[in-house]
Amino acid sequence: MRFLAAALVFLISTASLLYGVAMQTIWAPETEVQHSISFDSSSKYALIEPELIGAYADSVDIRIIGEEKTKLISGRESDLRAWLEGTDWVLPSLLVNQNQGISNLYRRNFTGDNPPNSITGFDVFISEQEGAELLEQTLPYQPGIAYVIASDGVNPVPATLRMTWQVEPPPIQSAPYFLASTVGYLASLFLLISAIRNQNFKPRRSGPRLPKPPSAKKATRSSFLNPAPKKKGRRAKFVSIGLSSILLAGCAPVYPDPALSPSPPEQVAVPSLNQQQFEKILNEITTATNDGDQAANREVLDSRLAGPSLTFRSSFYTLMNRSEEIQPPKPISNQLQLALPTKTESWPRVAMMVVGEGSAESPLQALFIRQESVRENYQLWYNIELLPNIEFPEVPAMETGSVPIVPDSGFLNFRVSGLVPAIGNLIDYGLDAVAVEIIDPNNQYIAQASDNLLALRNSLENANVETDHSLGDENIMQLATTDAGALVAFFMIDETRISPTDIAEAIAVDPGPEQVLLGSEASATGIETRYGTMLLAHIPAAESERRVRILGASQVLLSVTRLEGDE
């Protein structure tokens, strides 16, 4: 009996071992989900949403098969949708029906009649990757980031897209079976040793002589008449193994199909620009300004500069082309110190960068860039040199983004439309100005401008000095700070008219930029000078009692003209 028990325990242990191995191999749960979709020739682009990328895992392996050329573009989902508007494009989406056990990709087609004239070089693109007929790439899930598939924008979108997700399988409970088989093998070994030790191997005592066996003929006859019993041990072994296999097959574990259980992430709004985009835009701006400064040619700037920034450099180029003594403006550094995008879905868009090294050769500058529409690139509108010894307000992190503020917002303690008159009042009257209560005069720009005007008035005994201050560009850019205040960039025009009270005396013009533009050293009837200044101010929140502070200023001479009546 002990031999039989050892054999039975051995068979059960083997069955348990095979069951555990089968759970790890042939019955193992699926570790990947794969879907494929084909596109027809009616679409030029396909958009992969971030929810599809993260439907099953944190990343997906894609395989794009086209005819000649394939291209993969990444960007904010809302930006790419806006960029695709007016084109023929297709949107693959996931369709899951758990009741019917169906999971596949289906497509929705969109049509338009306003395609882009290019598929490269747009600021809304984060990355661009090109391939031949086959492009394979692992796409990580990034909140709010989608991908566009294209060929060259003219030919149809590549025909086939295959997506493969590596999923986390459910835990395999095979350890108890391996443990049970180990214990069973030890138990069967113990039973076998016990059976062997209790087996009686002593020789039998001698007894009476046994009878002779029958002859061969009789034995043969006897075997037919009384056949020997059949050996059932081998058959029982095979039957037991067969029954064990059948039982194991019937007990195969059932795991849920991962393709029927997607878990797409929630949609997340992300700022309009990231670090990579800021650096790309900044490099193109610095390249354009460096080339323009060397050639003193405004046309070089048109691709990346606009508004007051373009006026600022163009005025310098006018002076440089008239006199070799005029130096170009301070260069714009490509050392990015701070980046502040906006969190918005509409256009125009504004963003800010602080660049430079903080030295005399590379001062810190605040750059305000503006994008008019999704298919236009950002242009530099304001490059404002920060004043020394200022306390720059705290701004939101780049990953959070700022909020654009409407003009004359009621959430600020001073209206933006009143900045230019108030600053002009400070320049004209210094510390005696009414605006002292509104704007902090303790900064380098206000002090120098006020002192220069006072010195001019004191030096001219036989002349009248009149000033006028006005807004130079209606595009005032405002970004919210973390203290609920606002950074405000604007362009201010300062006009000064000097007319002699004695017709016998002319108004002399000192050597320098003003004399270069006037073309002479004096004017008998007087002169009018126009300076343009890009200013950066911080306006506190409505409940704050702090005054408006001037944070930066960049000034250029725009024009010098003779007053009417000059002979």
Side-chain angles (χ1 to χ4, degrees):
M1 288 297 294
R2 295 184 181 182
F3 282 109
L4 182 60
L8 182 61
V9 173
F10 179 83
L11 289 176
I12 295 174
S13 302
T14 302
S16 179
L17 175 64
L18 292 176
Y19 191 85
V21 172
M23 291 180 69
Q24 294 281 357
T25 55
I26 59 175
W27 294 336
E30 295 290 337
T31 59
E32 70 176 28
V33 175
Q34 188 174 106
H35 287 310
S36 297
I37 189 171
S38 297
F39 305 122
D40 55 38
S41 60
S42 63
S43 299
K44 303 294 189 295
Y45 306 94
L47 178 68
I48 305 178
E49 300 173 300
E51 292 76 23
L52 180 58
I53 295 172
Y56 296 103
D58 293 335
S59 64
V60 61
D61 298 324
I62 65 169
R63 181 183 176 93
I64 305 169
I65 302 175
E67 293 184 359
E68 296 181 0
K69 184 179 180 181
T70 56
K71 186 163 187 175
L72 186 65
I73 301 167
S74 68
R76 279 208 326 167
E77 180 186 5
S78 58
D79 290 352
L80 294 182
R81 283 179 175 269
W83 186 85
L84 289 170
E85 187 174 350
T87 68
D88 299 327
W89 62 286
V90 60
L91 178 67
S93 301
L94 187 63
L95 176 64
V96 177
N97 189 325
Q98 294 186 350
N99 294 329
Q100 299 181 5
I102 297 174
S103 174
N104 54 31
L105 294 176
Y106 73 99
R107 63 174 183 261
R108 287 179 288 170
N109 294 314
F110 301 85
T111 59
D113 56 1
N114 183 29
N117 55 12
S118 173
I119 61 169
T120 187
F122 291 92
D123 285 345
V124 293
F125 295 167
I126 295 177
S127 65
E128 301 177 45
Q129 183 177 351
E130 294 184 356
E133 296 86 355
L134 176 65
L135 179 61
E136 294 179 317
Q137 184 70 26
T138 298
L139 305 182
Y141 167 73
Q142 303 175 71
I145 303 302
Y147 291 82
V148 167
I149 300 173
S151 56
D152 55 6
V154 177
N155 294 310
V157 64
T160 304
L161 168 65
R162 189 181 72 186
M163 307 182 73
T164 304
W165 294 265
Q166 303 298 324
V167 298
E168 187 71 23
I172 301 174
Q173 304 296 333
S174 59
Y177 297 96
F178 291 133
L179 179 62
S181 65
T182 302
V183 174
Y185 283 134
L186 293 175
S188 65
L189 180 61
F190 173 78
L191 291 173
L192 180 62
I193 294 173
S194 176
I196 293 174
R197 291 184 63 183
N198 287 278
Q199 180 67 36
N200 187 3
F201 291 104
K202 295 181 179 181
R204 296 183 179 181
R205 291 179 298 174
S206 60
R209 184 183 299 272
L210 297 175
K212 292 182 179 180
S215 62
K217 184 180 295 185
K218 293 181 179 180
T220 303
R221 188 181 302 123
S222 176
S223 64
F224 281 107
L225 295 176
N226 301 305
K230 295 182 179 179
K231 296 182 179 180
K232 298 182 180 180
R234 184 178 301 175
R235 182 184 299 174
K237 184 186 299 184
F238 285 115
V239 170
S240 63
I241 293 176
L243 289 175
S244 300
S245 301
I246 293 173
L247 290 174
L248 289 177
C251 297
V254 178
Y255 298 102
D257 186 358
L260 300 178
S261 304
S263 55
E266 297 181 359
Q267 293 186 354
V268 178
V270 295
S272 54
L273 293 171
N274 64 11
Q275 180 80 17
Q276 183 178 346
Q277 290 171 294
F278 270 114
E279 292 176 352
K280 171 182 174 290
I281 295 169
L282 178 59
N283 286 334
E284 294 191 8
I285 288 175
T286 55
T287 299
T289 53
N290 290 338
D291 293 344
D293 292 350
Q294 291 180 3
N297 186 353
R298 169 184 170 154
E299 295 181 357
V300 180
L301 307 176
D302 289 339
S303 63
R304 280 297 184 177
L305 272 69
S309 183
L310 182 60
T311 301
F312 177 82
R313 265 184 156 69
S314 298
S315 299
F316 262 101
Y317 295 168
T318 300
L319 291 167
M320 292 166 61
N321 289 327
R322 293 190 182 185
S323 172
E324 296 180 354
E325 297 180 358
I326 303 298
Q327 297 298 315
K330 292 181 180 179
I332 297 175
S333 172
N334 60 0
Q335 299 296 316
L336 182 62
Q337 304 293 344
L338 183 148
L340 182 61
T342 51
K343 185 177 289 186
T344 179
E345 306 295 333
S346 61
W347 281 269
R349 290 179 178 176
V350 177
M352 184 195 74
M353 294 179 279
V354 174
V355 302
E357 300 175 359
S359 61
E361 296 77 17
S362 179
L364 293 175
Q365 298 185 58
L367 310 183
F368 282 77
I369 56 178
R370 175 184 170 102
Q371 186 184 35
E372 299 296 333
S373 67
V374 65
R375 294 181 186 173
E376 296 183 66
N377 284 339
Y378 280 88
Q379 291 182 301
L380 177 63
W381 273 70
Y382 292 96
N383 58 286
I384 306 170
E385 183 175 343
L386 299 184
L387 300 176
N389 303 320
I390 63 166
E391 180 185 349
F392 200 84
E394 185 177 350
V395 297
M398 181 176 61
E399 295 76 15
T400 304
S402 180
V403 178
I405 302 177
V406 297
D408 286 337
S409 170
F411 296 101
L412 304 177
N413 72 357
F414 187 70
R415 291 187 175 272
V416 174
S417 58
L419 282 175
V420 169
I423 294 174
N425 181 255
L426 277 175
I427 293 174
D428 291 345
Y429 299 101
L431 296 178
D432 296 330
V434 177
V436 167
E437 300 296 327
I438 302 170
I439 298 179
D440 187 355
N442 297 318
N443 61 80
Q444 188 183 71
Y445 168 71
I446 296 294
Q448 288 185 355
S450 180
D451 291 345
N452 291 341
L453 181 59
L454 180 62
L456 177 64
R457 285 172 171 162
N458 292 335
S459 66
L460 297 174
E461 297 179 356
N462 299 316
N464 291 326
V465 179
E466 299 176 356
T467 60
D468 182 66
H469 310 279
S470 61
L471 184 65
D473 195 292
E474 62 181 8
N475 286 319
I476 301 174
M477 299 188 181
Q478 305 176 73
L479 292 175
T481 55
T482 54
D483 61 359
L487 289 170
V488 183
F490 58 101
F491 190 50
M492 178 174 169
I493 303 295
D494 301 301
E495 296 182 355
T496 304
R497 290 177 293 277
I498 307 174
S499 56
T501 56
D502 188 347
I503 59 174
E505 293 191 13
I507 303 300
V509 180
D510 293 333
E514 293 183 5
Q515 194 176 105
V516 170
L517 288 186
L518 184 63
S520 63
E521 298 178 356
S523 171
T525 58
I527 60 172
E528 179 185 82
T529 61
R530 295 175 69 250
Y531 280 87
T533 308
M534 295 181 288
L535 291 166
L536 177 62
H538 174 246
I539 303 179
E543 62 275 9
S544 175
E545 296 182 357
R546 298 185 63 181
R547 293 180 290 183
V548 177
R549 295 182 298 121
I550 305 299
L551 304 177
S554 293
Q555 190 176 71
V556 65
L557 176 63
L558 300 177
S559 65
V560 180
T561 58
R562 294 179 176 85
L563 296 178
E564 294 183 2
D566 187 37
E567 297 180 356

